């Protein structure tokens, strides 16, 4: 989209618009602030599929009465290394924040710990929580399922969600190494953005209703998305369904869809977050983090390479100083949402 058709706004305004839109449509101050922070982080790092683009999804969940906008997360202590947070049908960010605080304490003592977030509506990226944990010295993982959009390898019918997974690794004197990726060839948000902006999608992202490969995002949205790498991505999608579904007592993606098939609404689901304290592991002559730097250096010694998250960190520097671009018409609709017009 040409920059002339877009509006440049500060990250502070991103947060203000998001928080305002949620509060006037039924979210408590605590929930609105937590979601607004998540969206602002996505815009800051140029992750548009999880940024302001998602505000209408959050608002619709509130106005339709599906999501409990005033939910207060409840922490359940399960064991020395496990905790569960019941989000009480609220949006995930506030419950995630509560769960991570509990997770940190357990991982410091036990060396490894996990927290499950259940009974929540999850529409966000996973990298903020693993980055936060990695900044505090933990090796971290996160997994969540979604609505059924993805066909299994060799199939044509939707079974899996886009089922992202995230990983964080702490570093000495540098931002953490972080990646967050779907097990599908593209995220649902990227497919929606291509459709909104009139862009073709690459072959391999999706198939149409008849199971044929397509470069038309509208046809892909009606058909099924594909796992990346065929059977390899499908295996990871299956793993995420088990970790963030069966293991923690949350619905599988196809169960969430059967419960409520509306694609313009957030799905009920859960998230599994794990943290490992590397100081608990027997050290070789070098500590694990110093040893890892040798690997990173070997990767970066080749021209054209970069580490996961380097793109986000570069975008972060620019957006903090210059703000972010938002389509003009969409910016107007955000202002109306924040003013109570939906």
């Amino acid at each position: 989209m040409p920059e002339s058709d877009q509006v440049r706004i500060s990250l502070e305004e991103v947060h203000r618009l998001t928080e305002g839109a949620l509060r006037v449509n039924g979210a408590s101050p605590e929930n609105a602030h937590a979601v607004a922070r998540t969206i602002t982080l996505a815009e800051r790092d140029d992750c548009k599929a999880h940024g302001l683009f998602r505000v209408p999804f959050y608002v619709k969940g509130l106005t339709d009465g599906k999501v409990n906008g005033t939910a207060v997360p409840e922490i359940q202590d399960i064991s020395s290394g496990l905790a569960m947070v019941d989000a009480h049908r609220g949006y995930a960010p506030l419950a995630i924040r509560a769960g991570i605080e509990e997770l940190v304490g357990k991982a410091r003592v036990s060396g490894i710990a996990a927290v499950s977030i259940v009974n929540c509506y999850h529409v966000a990226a996973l990298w903020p929580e693993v980055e936060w944990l990695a900044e505090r010295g933990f090796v971290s993982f996160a997994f969540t399922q979604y609505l059924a959009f993805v066909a299994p390898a060799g199939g044509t019918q939707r079974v899996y969600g886009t089922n992202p997974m995230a990983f964080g690794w702490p570093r000495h004197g540098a931002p953490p190494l972080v990646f967050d990726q779907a097990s599908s060839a593209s995220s649902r948000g990227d497919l929606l953005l291509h459709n909104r902006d009139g862009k073709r999608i690459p072959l391999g992202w999706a198939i149409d209703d008849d199971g044929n490969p397509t470069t038309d995002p509208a046809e892909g949205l009606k058909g099924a998305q594909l796992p990346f790498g065929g059977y390899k991505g499908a295996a990871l999608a299956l793993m995420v369904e088990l970790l963030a579904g069966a293991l923690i007592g949350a619905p599988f993606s196809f169960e969430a869809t059967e419960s409520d098939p509306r694609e313009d609404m957030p799905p009920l689901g859960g998230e599994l977050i794990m943290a490992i304290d590397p100081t608990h592991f027997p050290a070789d002559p070098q500590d694990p983090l110093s040893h890892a730097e040798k690997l990173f250096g070997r990767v970066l010694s080749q021209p054209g390479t970069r580490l996961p998250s380097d793109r986000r960190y570069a975008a972060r520097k620019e957006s903090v100083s210059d703000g972010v671009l938002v389509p003009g018409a969409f910016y107007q609709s955000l202002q109306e949402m924040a003013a109570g017009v939906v």
Side-chain angles (χ1 to χ4, degrees):
M1 180 178 295
E3 188 165 340
S4 59
D5 297 333
Q6 302 183 76
V7 177
R8 186 172 292 276
I9 64 175
S10 68
L11 294 175
E12 290 75 15
E13 187 168 8
V14 170
H15 194 285
R16 180 185 63 78
L17 283 171
T18 303
E19 189 168 13
L22 294 167
R23 289 195 63 175
V24 300
N25 287 290
S28 67
E30 295 80 7
N31 277 279
H33 181 80
V35 172
R37 180 180 181 275
T38 296
I39 286 178
T40 303
L41 292 177
E43 285 289 338
R44 181 197 66 184
D45 285 12
D46 194 30
C47 299
K48 297 295 187 183
H50 290 287
L52 288 169
F53 171 71
R54 293 288 184 179
V55 172
F57 289 80
Y58 284 105
V59 168
K60 189 169 179 59
L62 295 170
T63 57
D64 279 27
K66 183 177 182 180
V67 178
N68 179 3
T70 60
V72 178
E74 180 183 0
I75 300 173
Q76 298 180 30
D77 186 10
I78 298 174
S79 70
S80 60
L82 293 174
M84 182 178 76
V85 181
D86 188 337
H88 291 298
R89 301 183 73 85
Y91 281 124
L94 190 62
I96 290 170
R97 189 169 71 184
I100 283 181
E101 294 292 344
E102 186 76 6
L103 178 62
V104 165
K106 289 181 177 295
R108 289 279 186 225
V109 174
S110 301
I112 182 169
V115 62
S116 59
I117 314 296
V118 298
N119 208 16
C120 72
Y121 290 96
H122 202 312
V123 197
L126 298 176
W127 58 261
E129 43 263 47
V130 297
E131 182 177 320
W132 191 92
L133 286 165
E135 286 174 341
R136 284 149 185 81
F138 295 97
V139 178
S140 48
F141 301 83
F143 310 89
T144 191
Q145 77 291 68
Y146 197 48
L147 291 171
F149 291 133
V150 181
T156 60
Q157 304 300 309
R158 301 175 177 185
V159 176
Y160 303 136
T162 53
N163 291 8
M165 62 210 80
F167 172 75
W169 179 273
R171 299 181 67 188
H172 291 313
L177 179 145
V178 174
F179 72 75
D180 178 356
Q181 64 183 51
S183 51
S184 52
S186 72
S187 71
R188 192 66 175 179
D190 282 334
L191 200 60
L192 289 165
L193 283 172
H194 276 71
N195 189 53
R196 184 194 72 181
D197 297 339
K199 298 179 179 178
R200 309 300 288 185
I201 60 173
L203 281 172
W205 275 25
I207 52 178
D208 65 19
D209 242 350
D210 297 320
N212 300 312
T214 183
T215 61
D216 183 342
E219 292 300 315
L221 289 167
K222 289 188 292 184
Q225 291 178 245
L226 296 174
F228 78 80
Y231 288 95
K232 294 182 179 181
L236 291 175
L238 176 61
M239 178 191 74
V240 174
E241 293 281 350
L242 296 172
L243 290 174
L247 184 65
I248 67 173
F252 293 127
S253 297
F254 75 86
E255 291 174 328
T257 298
E258 290 171 352
S259 175
D260 188 349
R262 292 174 292 176
E263 295 185 14
D264 61 343
M265 298 286 285
L268 186 68
E271 179 178 349
L272 176 67
I273 309 172
M274 301 171 63
I276 300 172
D277 186 347
T279 65
H280 282 251
F281 282 74
D284 62 14
Q286 309 164 76
D287 75 272
L289 304 191
S290 297
H291 194 178
E293 292 301 317
K294 287 187 174 182
L295 174 62
F296 302 153
R298 183 62 62 93
V299 170
L300 294 174
S301 67
Q302 299 185 37
T305 62
R306 64 177 174 85
L307 296 178
S309 64
D310 282 353
R311 183 206 63 81
R312 285 195 304 102
Y313 291 145
R316 182 179 302 183
K317 291 179 180 179
E318 291 186 11
S319 63
V320 167
S321 60
D322 301 338
V324 297
L325 289 170
V326 182
F330 183 54
Y331 176 63
Q332 178 64 35
S333 71
L334 289 171
Q335 291 179 308
E336 292 172 355
M337 287 182 205
V341 181
V342 292

